Amino acid sequence: MADSTPSAQPTAPTPADRPVYVIGGGPGGLSVAHALRARGIRAVVLERSEQVGSSWRGHYDRLRLHTTRRLSALPGLSMPRRFGRWVARADVVRYLEKYAEHHRLEIVTGVEVSRVERTPDGTGWLLHATGGRELTGAAVVVATGRNHTPLVPDWPGRDTYTGAFLHAGDYRNAEPFAGRDVLVVGAGNSGAEIAVDLVEGGAARVRLSVRTTPHVVRRSTLGWASQYSGVLCRRLPVGLVDLLARMQARALMPDLSAHGLPRPDTGLYSRARAGAVPVLDVGLVDAVRGGRVEVVAAVEAFEDGKVVLADGTRVEPDVVVAATGYVRALEGLVGHLGVLDDRGRPVAHGGRTPREAPGLYFTGFTTPLSGNLRELALDARRIAKAVARDGAVGASRLPG
C-alpha cells in the first residue's frame, strides 16, 4: 500500500499530471482503483478513516455475506476457499486489506473530502478535503457507499428518552444484552440478523418492530443461492420477476401472518428497484415461528420512558436498537452539481456520468438483487473503460 500521507501530491498539477481521485476505500473504491491502474491510469483513493474497509470493520460480528464467495470477489483477486461459501465479516476485511496490498493501490488515509466542484478552467475537478487540502483531479469517482451516515428517525420524544438506545451501527454482539429485554426497530437485513443474534446470545426477550413487512427469502435452497436467481432476473421485466418471486415465496416460505409478518402486498423486484432489498433468512423465520422473536408494530414515539407503537401499545424495553438504516449523505459533497435526484441518489452510476458533470462517476449506491459486490466489480470495469475513453482526458499515466 502506498504512503498514507498526501505529500506526494503536487500543489498545482498541470492537466497531464492529474490523477483520478476515488473517494472511499471500501470494496467499490478499491475495485475502481485497480481497474483504472490496470489500464495504466493513476488512481488515488482518498479514505476518511485510517484503514480500508472501514464500513465492514464497523458491522456486527456475526455478519456474513449473503452472496457467495465466488460471486463476491473483486476484479483481479479471488477470495480464498478457506473463507467458505458465506464469507464472514472479519474475512471480508482481511480480503480488502489483501486486495489493496496485492494490487499496490495508491491510498491516502485520514483524508475526508467535503466538497467536489469543477476547476475554474473547467478542465478537471477540485476536491476540498480535511486540513485545508485542495486536490485537483482529471476525474472523480464517488464510492462512499450507501452506509455512510447512520439514520435515526426524528421520533417525538426521542431527545428526552432516558432508556438505553443505540443505532445498529454501534451493535457488535449480544454479550452486553444477555438477560435483557431488547426492542429492535427495523426489519431489514440488519434488524433481522441482530434480533436472531440477541435470541441466540441469551437476551431475555426480543421484539422486532416492523413498519413495512419485508420480503423474506431463503439465502439458499437445495444449494441454489438466491443470488443466482437475482443474476438471472437482472434483465427480466419487473412485473415478471415480481410474479415469479411471489410464486416461489408461496412454495418455499411459510406464511407468518399469524405471527405478525403477513406476505407483502407489493412485488419483491418493485421494492428492490425502489431501494428496499429482501431479507435473506438466516434464522429469522424459525425464531418468529418459535416465538423467540416477537413481531410488534412500528415505533411512533417515546413518552414517559416508554416506547409508543403504532397500534397504541406502550412497551418498556431495557434497550432499544435502531436498525433504521443509513443515509448516503451526498448533498454536501456533490448536491450543488445537480447530480442527485429528489431522494439524494445519484442520477447516474457505473460507467455513465451525469450530463451536468462529465467525468464524475458513482458506484455503490444501488441495491441489486444480483449482489452488491458483484455489481461493484462490474461497475469498476465500466468506469475504468469510460475514463480511459473520454472521462479523464489528460489524466496522469502510470510509468511503464
Side-chain angles (χ1 to χ4, degrees), residues 75 152 163 211 290:
V152 177
R211 181 172 299 278

Side-chain angles (χ1 to χ4, degrees), residues 49-87:
S49 72
E50 297 302 323
Q51 299 169 296
V52 300
S54 61
S55 178
W56 278 95
R57 294 176 192 274
H59 288 313
Y60 45 92
D61 294 345
R62 76 171 280 141
L63 177 64
R64 288 181 175 271
L65 289 178
H66 291 153
T67 54
T68 65
R69 170 181 51 80
R70 187 173 63 84
L71 294 185
S72 299
L74 302 180
L77 186 66
S78 299
M79 287 188 173
R81 292 179 60 87
R82 68 177 182 277
F83 285 179
R85 192 183 196 199
W86 312 108
V87 182

Side-chain angles (χ1 to χ4, degrees), residues 22-63:
V22 181
I23 307 174
L30 297 181
S31 58
V32 168
H34 163 63
L36 288 166
R37 184 180 178 87
R39 288 180 174 266
I41 299 171
R42 183 184 173 211
V44 178
V45 178
L46 303 175
E47 168 54 44
R48 64 175 177 168
S49 72
E50 297 302 323
Q51 299 169 296
V52 300
S54 61
S55 178
W56 278 95
R57 294 176 192 274
H59 288 313
Y60 45 92
D61 294 345
R62 76 171 280 141
L63 177 64

